[in-house]
Amino acid sequence: MKFSSNISQYDHAIVLGGSIGGIVTAAYLCKYFKRITIIESDDVLNDIFMKSTSSEILDYRCRLESPTSLGRSGVSQIYQIHGLHSEGYKILLELFPQLKDKLFNEYDIRTYSLKTECRLMNSGVLLNQDLTEDFDWLGIDRFTLEIVLRKELCLKFDKQIEWKYNTRVTDLIVDQSLNIVKGIKYRSKKNNNSLSFDMYGDFIIDCTGRNTSSPKWLKKNFNLIIPTVQVHFGCGYVTFIGERFRTDDPSLDSAAIIGAGVDSPNKNTGFITTPIRIIKTIDNNSLGILATFGIDCVNFEYPPNDSYENLLEWTKENLDSEYYTILTKNKSKKWPQNYILLGDAMCTFNPQYAQGMTHAFRQARELEKLFGESCHKLKDISHIFNRRASVITEECWLASTANDWKSPSLKVIETNKNGDVKVYQRSSDSTMTNHPQPRATLMMRFMQCFNMEIHNRITENFDTTICLRQINRK
Ligand SMILES: Cc1cc2nc3c(=O)[nH]c(=O)nc-3n(C[C@H](O)[C@H](O)[C@H](O)COP(=O)(O)OP(=O)(O)OC[C@H]3O[C@@H](n4cnc5c(N)ncnc54)[C@H](O)[C@@H]3O)c2cc1C
């Protein structure tokens, strides 16, 4: 979007609320106002939101703790499953042209085709089957999206936008005789007895969400009653994050977005899963997608949220069997608190590649970093460490096993998370072994070719340090 200096500018706009609506409104209005003040009651510019890496944001999101502990209490649904329509995504790209690049490269997020990667059902009808035009679906969770957008807004309009956070708007400043709102009254959120201040603006936009005080303020200041209608239909959600695993049903596994809407009164329960991160994994059963899962209802037929077992039971009775299958596959045993494996205890490598000690040191350094971040509770550290340490391990594992897989007498013994053991054995004579042949993954084969290439080049006096640095960067 171009910002033309020809457009006559007003002086000051005040945006109440710095959430999704406030952020986008402020970005649009920068074209018309010299300065914009966003007043937000939560601590949204703290280091957790502004300095966290993509993986730290994910850690916060996965902990299922109340976002209040992060200083964000104003949007109770911030952890709930959210879908963003393609029109909404288009608007974001128009406002923040760098957004797509950032999300794809820094946050392992991608878009999905509504036509080919989506399976949205309603009353047994596949809604996306006859689309004449395809649409992009942005695979991101609401928590991450809001944080990234706020960072982008601050980056792009640093000079024009001023934030007042930890600050509550408490009333309007009006001139009744002119029937005009001239400003707002605000004070610190942290202290109810703190002084109240006035702020004047040429235009004021209330983006304070569903619990807006505007009806109260307008009644008090203008005796204006806003007519309202409330519809109570017993809507409820249970949302959580998990990895998608194969279900043996290709039509489910090929769809990144899967959903079945409620269709009251016949069906008062629904299901949706949407991807939020691409994950690198060597688990062949994994679809390489971290997703949000949402089970929703109307008519007060709430899914239980006390344990995963109870939720599964409920799903079995209340949803179609395929959604139950997806959730069963998603289930994984919870790693215990306050206990981790590090170094060779987590993964042992072929000693010929001499990476065992460095692997252990890198994991230990990651652990130190985690404790140093001093925002994690002790009980969460094992979970966060496992996720971060496994990235280090997978890197080393791939580097060392690629060549090991070429061994003519290779034997691979796999134990899955249910304790089932599978043995694969390579042999030139198939009658010599009762086990199936091991099959290298595409990534493994790529690494083998790559290693071969490096080997060939070394023998031609090629600069290996540059080449290895390039691999590390990948
Ligand atoms: C369970 C659930 C699921 C949903 N799923 C979807 C979905 O799939 N897709 C979708 O598009 N939408 C979904 N929504 C709706 C979506 O969350 C809202 O439409 C969206 O958050 C509205 O944004 P907003 O900026 O207007 O308000 P909010 O996000 O509510 O933000 C209001 C902001 O104002 C601040 N504030 C409040 N009062 C004051 C005050 N007095 N002074 C200063 N600041 C104040 C708050 O701290 C907050 O930051 C869902 C909602 C729920 C409840």
Side-chain angles (χ1 to χ4, degrees), residues 226-391:
I226 302 184
T228 59
V229 178
Q230 290 184 22
V231 182
H232 294 249
F233 52 92
C235 172
Y237 275 80
V238 169
T239 297
F240 58 93
I241 283 181
E243 190 174 346
R244 285 271 309 274
F245 287 97
R246 289 186 199 289
T247 62
D248 303 326
D249 177 345
S251 70
L252 288 179
D253 295 346
S254 61
I257 304 145
I258 300 175
V262 295
D263 183 23
S264 198
N266 305 319
K267 190 91 184 152
N268 294 326
T269 53
F271 170 89
I272 183 141
T273 175
T274 62
I276 60 164
R277 294 283 199 289
I278 305 292
I279 47 173
K280 294 174 193 87
T281 171
I282 50 171
D283 183 343
N284 287 336
N285 280 322
S286 171
L287 294 175
I289 290 176
L290 202 63
T292 335
F293 296 82
I295 295 141
D296 57 312
C297 78
V298 293
N299 201 38
F300 306 94
E301 296 176 26
Y302 300 128
N305 64 0
D306 52 346
S307 76
Y308 198 69
E309 283 70 23
N310 287 344
L311 184 66
L312 272 183
E313 272 309 301
W314 184 95
T315 306
K316 203 172 180 180
E317 283 169 23
N318 292 282
L319 292 176
D320 293 343
S321 61
E322 54 199 35
Y323 309 121
Y324 173 71
T325 311
I326 293 173
L327 292 180
T328 333
K329 295 289 174 186
N330 170 266
K331 191 185 172 200
S332 55
K333 288 255 184 297
K334 246 188 162 179
W335 187 264
Q337 293 170 19
N338 302 359
Y339 186 73
I340 57 166
L341 310 185
L342 190 150
D344 274 19
M346 184 188 253
C347 189
T348 317
F349 308 97
N350 179 347
Q352 287 162 326
Y353 298 106
Q355 42 180 10
M357 290 193 295
T358 308
H359 169 254
F361 299 160
R362 286 177 65 193
Q363 289 193 331
R365 185 176 58 188
E366 194 61 46
L367 186 63
E368 190 272 338
K369 195 172 145 216
L370 243 174
F371 275 101
E373 282 163 6
S374 66
C375 51
H376 309 295
K377 293 210 173 105
L378 191 65
K379 73 179 175 64
D380 296 320
I381 290 212
S382 63
H383 157 77
I384 301 172
F385 174 79
N386 278 349
R387 233 176 40 75
R388 294 195 196 171
S390 63
V391 176

Side-chain angles (χ1 to χ4, degrees), residues 25 27 71 87 104 123 137 141 158 173 240 266 313 389 413 457:
T25 305
E87 184 65 14
F104 280 37
S123 309
W137 177 300
D141 60 297
D158 178 34
I173 301 170
F240 58 93
N266 305 319
E313 272 309 301
I413 305 169
R457 301 241 179 153

Side-chain angles (χ1 to χ4, degrees), residues 80-353:
Q80 291 293 343
I81 193 159
H82 272 62
L84 179 68
H85 289 196
S86 47
E87 184 65 14
Y89 180 44
K90 219 169 98 187
I91 287 172
L92 294 183
L93 291 189
E94 195 180 291
L95 286 170
F96 305 105
Q98 312 297 327
L99 185 70
K100 190 170 177 179
D101 259 9
K102 283 213 174 141
L103 292 177
F104 280 37
N105 297 325
E106 291 174 27
Y107 292 83
D108 293 325
I109 276 155
R110 52 164 280 221
T111 49
Y112 297 83
S113 152
L114 211 57
K115 211 168 171 178
T116 59
E117 295 178 281
C118 178
R119 194 170 179 278
L120 289 175
M121 309 284 290
N122 203 289
S123 309
V125 176
L126 185 59
L127 297 176
N128 58 307
Q129 63 184 342
D130 290 326
L131 288 177
T132 47
E133 196 186 330
D134 201 0
F135 299 95
D136 278 347
W137 177 300
L138 182 66
I140 192 169
D141 60 297
R142 154 78 197 251
F143 186 63
T144 307
L145 180 65
E146 190 190 303
I147 292 174
V148 179
L149 285 180
R150 195 173 291 109
K151 278 189 189 173
E152 281 302 287
L153 185 80
C154 291
L155 206 67
K156 188 167 172 187
F157 301 109
D158 178 34
K159 298 216 161 64
Q160 235 176 318
I161 294 180
E162 185 203 2
W163 281 81
K164 279 201 179 296
Y165 49 94
N166 282 324
T167 304
R168 278 198 80 76
V169 179
T170 53
D171 204 348
L172 307 177
I173 301 170
V174 307
D175 184 330
Q176 283 176 350
S177 60
L178 294 175
N179 196 28
I180 186 171
V181 178
K182 297 168 71 178
I184 51 103
K185 290 184 176 296
Y186 67 92
R187 67 165 173 245
S188 159
K189 179 191 176 185
K190 289 192 170 155
N191 182 358
N192 267 346
N193 299 322
S194 62
L195 287 177
S196 174
F197 297 93
D198 293 350
M199 182 184 289
Y200 291 87
D202 302 299
F203 201 74
I204 293 144
I205 306 104
D206 176 2
C207 298
T208 59
R210 53 181 54 212
N211 297 318
T212 170
S213 297
S214 275
K216 187 178 83 185
W217 294 332
L218 292 170
K219 167 87 176 64
K220 180 182 151 210
N221 291 295
F222 295 102
N223 199 22
L224 177 68
I225 296 173
I226 302 184
T228 59
V229 178
Q230 290 184 22
V231 182
H232 294 249
F233 52 92
C235 172
Y237 275 80
V238 169
T239 297
F240 58 93
I241 283 181
E243 190 174 346
R244 285 271 309 274
F245 287 97
R246 289 186 199 289
T247 62
D248 303 326
D249 177 345
S251 70
L252 288 179
D253 295 346
S254 61
I257 304 145
I258 300 175
V262 295
D263 183 23
S264 198
N266 305 319
K267 190 91 184 152
N268 294 326
T269 53
F271 170 89
I272 183 141
T273 175
T274 62
I276 60 164
R277 294 283 199 289
I278 305 292
I279 47 173
K280 294 174 193 87
T281 171
I282 50 171
D283 183 343
N284 287 336
N285 280 322
S286 171
L287 294 175
I289 290 176
L290 202 63
T292 335
F293 296 82
I295 295 141
D296 57 312
C297 78
V298 293
N299 201 38
F300 306 94
E301 296 176 26
Y302 300 128
N305 64 0
D306 52 346
S307 76
Y308 198 69
E309 283 70 23
N310 287 344
L311 184 66
L312 272 183
E313 272 309 301
W314 184 95
T315 306
K316 203 172 180 180
E317 283 169 23
N318 292 282
L319 292 176
D320 293 343
S321 61
E322 54 199 35
Y323 309 121
Y324 173 71
T325 311
I326 293 173
L327 292 180
T328 333
K329 295 289 174 186
N330 170 266
K331 191 185 172 200
S332 55
K333 288 255 184 297
K334 246 188 162 179
W335 187 264
Q337 293 170 19
N338 302 359
Y339 186 73
I340 57 166
L341 310 185
L342 190 150
D344 274 19
M346 184 188 253
C347 189
T348 317
F349 308 97
N350 179 347
Q352 287 162 326
Y353 298 106

